[in-house]
Amino acid sequence: MLTFQELATITNGAVLQFVQALPVMHLLTDSRKLSQPAGTLFFAISGKYNDGHKYLATLYKQGVRQFIVEKAQDEKGHNYSALYPEANLLLVKDSLQALQQLAAWHRSQFSIPIVGVTGSNGKTIVKEWLAQLLSPDALVVKSPRSYNSQLGVPLSVWQLNSNHTLGIFEAGISLPGEMEKLQPIIQPTIGIFTNIGTAHDEGFASRQQKVQEKLKLFTDVEILIYCTDYELLHKEIQNQTINTFTWSRHHQADVTITATTAAGHKTIVVYTYRGEKQRLAIPFTDEASVENALHCLAMLLYREVPFAEIQDRLDKLHPVAMRLEMKEAINGCYLIDDTYNNDLAGLAIALDLLANQPQRVKHTVILSDLLESGLSEEALYSQVATLIMNRDIDKVIGIGPTISHHKLKFAGKAEFYSSTADFLAQFKADDFRNELILIKGARVFEFERIVHAFQQKVHGTVLEVNLDALVHNLNFYRSRLAPDTKLMVMVKAFAYGSGSFEVANLLQFHRVDYLAVAYADEGVMLRENGITLPVMVMNPSQDSFAKLRQHNLEPEIYSLELLEQYLKDLPDATTRHRIHLKLDTGMHRLGFTPEDFEALFPLLQQYPQIQVISTFTHLAGADEALHNDFSQLQISNFRTMAAEVEARLNYSVIKHVLNSAGIVRFPEYQLDMVRLGIGLYGVEATGSEQEALKPVSTLKTTVSQVKTIVKGETVGYSRKGIADSDKTIATIAIGYADGYDRRFSNGAGQVIINGKRCPIIGNVCMDMCMVDVTGLQVKAGDEAIVFGPKLTLTDMAARIGTIPYELLTNVSSRVKRIFFSE
């Protein structure tokens, strides 16, 4: 087992302090995901958006005693060795590089076959399918989910242990020079290059350069598997001395595909290999899945799996869940749906998500037997029990004969069932209330039946919220801020329609400084669901003051009348009460003017228990250059008024003036804090930086019925939709009660069905509307995208003369939200 003393040699680091000989068992790069302090080595990485050195003290208090750092002192000049006298400390130039060096050393301890997978698309699916297809022959270790980055690859490879007989790891890059760092970590003996496309083109001078950079993963492989139909890829590989195993639909190759024909829900493939014609069925019909399956076929043939065995294994392939989804469920519960992904690393990732979602007090895990871990049952379920225990899980439900056999390892409340059918036979909905439930099981346990039992019975319209995109947008705006600028994020109006608790949870996890809501009830709801961040309430009312104080919420005070009402009912003179002063500098909506100051400050001086935390104003035209002069005037007025506020109070307050648009257009006026609103949700208010943001929300519904009408017939209420020719009409399950604006009637609106934009025909109804799908193959149950990455909120808003804010916030609360992370 690796010990701390060996790290200096492996990483070329310098020992700052060595106190005790400890094993290095767990690698940690995110302080929020600590599960087992004993044996944990923390890498303090100075990242683009955060600095891991900030969290050394927290981890030390939690029991971590091994650290790799990039500096010997904290920001105040205190030596880490003095601050953490019981810690082993290793100083390196670059903590991320040290992590990679350690993973490369770990990989070098094993001589088993390792498959490295790269390409523009399909890496994760090919990796997951290969792990399934090759598991009858080997004990497989693989990258958890899409851990293919500079950080994810070393954490993936660290999983290798002496029981594994095959490794499958994916590698992704977005810039030149990155693959050279990943190759020594993976050291693949077999390579798969899935394809080459547009992904991450912006990071390379040309598509050719991107291919050349990705090929650096395969400098020492015994064989490289790829499809010769990608001409640029094929040309670049031919220019190198790499042994290859190829497949093609258009050229002679090791595996030549002579025909692919869709037949129901399968694709029949005819291919020639070693002079013999073979036929097999792939259980998918979409082009991407067929291509991914053909990569897997090539691997199986290269490994000489018998033809009959190949078909049997392909028959058992299932779609890969590419994301962790959080869904509303019965009795106030939420589900984290992670069915069909039950390896040990995947369990740790899912448990981290569960642990960092405080909106339900009770946390429950429903877990099947874990298959093919490479560990003995004793070691495996000891680790599982420890992972669960260290994350304060309230209840464990184990399903399967093996986990049931080890039930004594699980402390606390635990139930065990021999099978999924056994659990469902005894399932009572009333036993689950206001819980967050992680459902994680192997394919053979059919946990989709459990998910179905828990799911709320709602219609097929859902708003999908991409939490990864939200974090991307958060980091984009953070990258525009000075290091000491605080960040307040607006979660009013149900987080712009996205879901207040869930978004607030994520923001709390990513350590924003403040949240802001419109009304006290929104703030109370956040507090009741585990949010502890400071919360500003922008529209307090007299009847809400008691709630504000009870739940430690901070009101925006914008008038003398409101302040007098707030002060009137203060319970005592000893408790501190925090407020925020709104100043009117030209918006003329809410706020104090300079004329109010003579009455304002004598009043505040009578109540020393009142603390003004911040003062701020709102720019009326920050999103348009047309109003630059007025914005500058507002900012100037604010700075003058804020200086007087601080002089009158005789202490400093947080000053903030910029909204999402202002962060982009007036970076020199960040002051002490900025307020991020619509930008977080993927709409860049100025329009100049929209490409830098990712869409967060996708509104989807389903086709209820398809019918044909003849020329001259009408569609919908008031017969507004008139067929100018014979048409095919699809009715979709969304209407103005779901927030789909009635102004989208009669062709103003469009939805995407089967990749094509289809216009609304007739008037939008309360619960449904009709779409012209003439010429398309559409059937009941097909998905219709109302807005999303390919039909943006900005485009839709322009069609009806409104703004994206209105469309996003109008999505009804009856529309089910699904939160997911890739």
Side-chain angles (χ1 to χ4, degrees):
M1 185 174 292
L2 178 69
T3 62
F4 187 85
Q5 298 99 304
E6 299 173 83
L7 291 175
T9 302
I10 295 170
T11 64
N12 299 315
V15 175
L16 287 179
Q17 179 170 278
F18 177 73
V19 178
Q20 50 190 323
L22 295 171
V24 176
M25 300 168 62
H26 315 292
L27 307 186
L28 183 67
T29 60
D30 188 332
S31 63
R32 298 162 296 190
K33 297 180 179 180
L34 175 66
S35 63
Q36 302 178 60
T40 287
L41 172 64
F42 178 67
F43 293 80
I45 298 173
S46 299
K48 182 178 180 181
Y49 303 114
N50 212 343
D51 185 352
H53 296 82
K54 294 180 181 178
Y55 311 110
L56 297 179
T58 299
L59 290 168
Y60 187 76
K61 288 177 183 177
Q62 293 173 321
V64 177
R65 291 295 180 266
Q66 302 184 90
F67 300 94
I68 287 185
V69 295
E70 297 174 357
K71 43 196 173 186
Q73 300 175 328
D74 68 8
E75 294 175 349
K76 297 179 180 178
H78 299 135
N79 290 332
Y80 287 139
S81 55
L83 292 171
Y84 314 119
E86 297 178 8
N88 296 336
L89 298 164
L90 182 70
L91 179 67
V92 298
K93 291 182 179 179
D94 185 322
S95 293
L96 175 58
Q97 183 182 58
L99 171 66
Q100 294 169 341
Q101 290 169 325
L102 177 56
W105 172 87
H106 183 69
R107 163 67 181 92
S108 69
Q109 308 306 300
F110 302 89
S111 58
I112 63 173
I114 298 290
V115 182
V117 185
T118 195
S120 293
N121 302 105
K123 297 184 294 294
T124 301
I125 292 175
V126 168
K127 176 254 301 178
E128 293 289 337
W129 280 354
L130 283 177
Q132 180 186 341
L133 292 166
L134 297 175
S135 61
D137 310 318
L139 280 172
V140 180
V141 59
K142 61 182 175 65
S143 309
R145 297 199 167 270
S146 54
Y147 270 39
N148 60 27
S149 67
Q150 298 291 301
L151 188 62
V153 168
L155 295 177
S156 298
V157 170
W158 185 254
Q159 299 173 95
L160 271 169
N161 66 50
S162 58
N163 294 307
H164 295 124
T165 59
L166 178 69
I168 308 174
F169 302 110
E170 59 175 298
I173 60 171
S174 55
L175 294 170
E178 291 184 334
M179 194 63 85
E180 292 169 277
K181 300 174 183 177
L182 299 184
Q183 192 280 334
I185 303 172
I186 299 176
Q187 297 176 46
T189 58
I190 301 171
I192 297 181
F193 203 133
T194 58
N195 51 44
I196 192 67
T198 60
H200 299 298
D201 271 359
E202 66 279 4
F204 301 91
S206 65
R207 189 78 55 85
Q208 181 182 21
Q209 184 194 34
K210 184 169 69 171
V211 171
Q212 292 169 346
E213 290 291 322
K214 286 180 177 287
L215 281 172
K216 291 177 181 178
L217 179 62
F218 307 122
T219 52
D220 296 317
V221 294
E222 298 167 5
I223 202 77
L224 173 60
I225 297 170
Y226 74 101
C227 174
T228 64
D229 297 340
Y230 291 95
E231 293 182 8
L232 176 59
L233 174 60
H234 181 53
K235 179 181 177 181
E236 290 299 323
I237 291 173
Q238 293 301 301
N239 289 335
Q240 303 195 27
T241 56
I242 302 176
N243 294 326
T244 62
F245 187 88
T246 61
W247 68 271
S248 174
R249 302 190 201 196
H250 307 301
H251 313 109
Q252 280 297 120
D254 293 294
V255 183
T256 304
I257 312 300
T258 57
T260 55
T261 307
H265 298 295
K266 296 184 177 183
T267 299
I268 307 302
V269 175
V270 179
Y271 67 94
T272 302
Y273 177 60
R274 291 181 175 172
E276 293 186 40
K277 180 177 287 189
Q278 302 291 337
R279 182 180 183 276
L280 58 77
I282 294 173
F284 304 98
T285 56
D286 64 285
E287 177 56 32
S289 294
V290 170
E291 179 177 279
N292 292 332
L294 291 175
H295 287 306
C296 294
L297 169 65
M299 172 64 85
L300 294 175
L301 291 171
Y302 173 72
R303 285 180 57 95
E304 299 185 343
V305 176
F307 294 131
E309 181 72 13
I310 289 174
Q311 182 62 74
D312 183 59
R313 295 186 190 185
L314 285 172
D315 287 342
K316 297 173 184 175
L317 273 186
H318 55 81
V320 175
M322 295 291 289
R323 61 196 199 185
L324 278 168
E325 292 187 343
M326 188 160 62
K327 305 172 180 177
E328 295 174 81
I330 57 174
N331 301 332
C333 295
Y334 274 77
L335 303 181
I336 296 178
D337 183 358
D338 197 24
T339 48
Y340 309 149
N341 185 358
N342 81 326
D343 55 278
L344 194 60
L347 174 62
I349 292 169
L351 286 171
D352 283 336
L353 178 61
L354 179 67
N356 289 289
Q357 296 292 331
Q359 77 263 29
R360 293 296 178 269
V361 175
K362 294 173 64 178
H363 287 177
T364 298
V365 174
I366 301 178
L367 181 67
S368 79
D369 289 350
L370 272 72
L371 308 179
E372 299 159 4
S373 69
L375 299 174
S376 67
E377 286 184 12
E378 186 71 25
L380 172 62
Y381 289 100
S382 293
Q383 284 197 35
V384 170
T386 301
L387 281 172
I388 290 174
M389 179 181 67
N390 289 335
R391 286 170 172 80
D392 296 323
I393 303 302
D394 296 282
K395 181 168 63 177
V396 177
I397 297 174
I399 297 177
T402 309
I403 194 172
S404 297
H405 179 70
H406 292 275
K407 62 184 179 183
L408 295 180
K409 291 183 170 63
F410 295 86
K413 190 173 182 180
E415 303 171 6
F416 295 88
Y417 301 87
S418 60
S419 66
T420 301
D422 184 22
F423 169 77
L424 290 173
Q426 302 179 56
F427 175 77
K428 294 180 181 177
D430 287 343
D431 291 342
F432 300 88
R433 289 192 174 275
N434 299 314
E435 300 176 36
L436 186 58
I437 304 166
L438 170 62
I439 299 180
K440 189 168 183 60
R443 171 75 177 180
V444 294
F445 286 89
E446 298 180 331
F447 269 19
E448 71 272 17
R449 295 163 61 194
I450 297 177
V451 173
H452 181 72
F454 275 105
Q455 287 252 233
Q456 287 186 321
K457 303 299 184 285
V458 294
H459 66 73
T461 302
V462 298
L463 183 71
E464 293 187 343
V465 180
N466 185 337
L467 299 179
D468 294 334
L470 192 144
V471 171
H472 169 88
N473 297 341
L474 174 68
N475 286 335
F476 166 75
Y477 284 99
R478 269 186 163 158
S479 71
R480 296 301 186 94
L481 303 182
D484 56 349
T485 301
K486 296 181 183 295
L487 181 60
M488 173 183 281
V489 181
M490 318 305 287
V491 291
K492 61 182 181 177
F494 200 44
Y496 290 66
S498 299
S500 301
F501 323 139
E502 297 78 11
V503 171
N505 286 337
L506 191 70
L507 295 172
Q508 182 165 275
F509 182 73
H510 285 278
R511 299 185 173 106
V512 303
D513 299 287
Y514 253 94
L515 300 178
V517 297
Y519 298 103
D521 286 345
E522 294 177 309
V524 170
M525 200 171 293
L526 294 182
R527 288 286 185 253
E528 290 176 344
N529 287 276
I531 300 302
T532 58
L533 285 173
V535 178
M536 182 176 77
V537 177
M538 303 181 73
N539 293 284
S541 58
Q542 186 172 3
D543 60 1
S544 72
F545 291 155
K547 285 185 178 179
L548 294 178
R549 289 189 285 267
Q550 179 185 353
H551 295 280
N552 194 27
L553 303 171
E554 303 171 11
E556 167 191 317
I557 302 297
Y558 50 78
S559 70
L560 289 169
E561 294 82 3
L562 184 64
L563 178 59
E564 289 168 349
Q565 291 170 359
Y566 184 73
L567 297 175
K568 181 179 178 182
D569 297 322
L570 286 182
D572 58 68
T574 58
T575 304
R576 302 288 282 178
H577 302 278
R578 295 154 60 105
I579 66 172
H580 302 257
L581 295 183
K582 176 73 172 287
L583 306 181
D584 183 2
T585 59
M587 178 83 165
H588 299 323
R589 185 172 62 180
L590 295 173
F592 292 97
T593 63
E595 291 73 26
D596 295 319
F597 282 10
E598 290 309 313
L600 170 62
F601 292 105
L603 185 58
L604 285 174
Q605 288 166 4
Q606 297 176 37
Y607 295 87
Q609 67 268 46
I610 294 294
Q611 180 183 7
V612 177
I613 291 297
S614 85
T615 187
F616 67 103
T617 195
H618 199 94
L619 300 182
D623 55 339
E624 294 182 278
L626 172 68
H627 304 300
N628 276 3
D629 289 344
F630 190 73
S631 294
Q632 295 282 359
L633 177 62
Q634 280 194 271
I635 293 168
S636 176
N637 289 342
F638 173 75
R639 299 182 83 163
T640 300
M641 293 172 70
E644 185 172 353
V645 167
E646 291 185 318
R648 296 279 199 123
L649 292 174
N650 200 29
Y651 59 82
S652 297
V653 301
I654 298 171
K655 298 169 286 296
H656 46 115
V657 64
L658 299 183
N659 56 8
S660 297
I663 294 171
V664 172
R665 299 194 65 249
F666 301 107
E668 66 273 29
Y669 298 121
Q670 292 175 14
L671 306 182
D672 303 311
M673 185 161 70
V674 297
R675 302 186 303 273
L676 177 58
I678 192 67
L680 180 71
Y681 306 96
V683 178
E684 205 284 285
T686 73
S688 63
E689 298 277 4
Q690 185 60 53
E691 292 301 313
L693 300 183
K694 292 184 178 181
V696 168
S697 300
T698 300
L699 182 59
K700 294 180 177 181
T701 189
T702 54
V703 173
S704 302
Q705 187 180 27
V706 179
K707 60 181 62 177
T708 57
I709 61 174
V710 300
K711 181 178 179 178
E713 289 191 311
T714 60
V715 178
Y717 285 121
S718 303
R719 304 186 67 196
K720 291 293 186 181
I722 302 172
D724 55 7
S725 62
D726 294 351
K727 289 188 178 295
T728 304
I729 303 299
T731 300
I732 60 175
I734 190 171
Y736 56 78
D738 302 296
Y740 192 60
D741 201 296
R742 204 165 177 273
R743 288 173 289 178
F744 286 121
S745 300
N746 303 305
Q750 297 177 333
V751 299
I752 295 177
I753 301 177
N754 294 339
K756 302 293 184 181
R757 290 196 177 201
C758 306
I760 302 297
I761 183 168
N763 282 333
V764 174
C765 309
M766 180 181 288
D767 305 300
M768 61 194 75
C769 53
M770 287 65 72
V771 181
D772 184 352
V773 294
T774 304
L776 301 179
Q777 296 297 315
V778 178
K779 62 183 183 302
D782 282 354
E783 180 181 86
I785 297 174
V786 181
F787 62 71
K790 294 183 179 179
L791 186 56
T792 68
L793 285 163
T794 303
D795 292 342
M796 290 181 61
R799 286 178 166 271
I800 59 172
T802 187
I803 55 177
Y805 299 68
E806 181 179 357
L807 300 184
L808 197 53
T809 58
N810 276 356
V811 178
S812 168
S813 59
R814 82 174 187 177
V815 173
K816 176 182 171 185
R817 269 71 174 171
I818 294 178
F819 304 88
F820 69 91
S821 179
E822 300 295 345

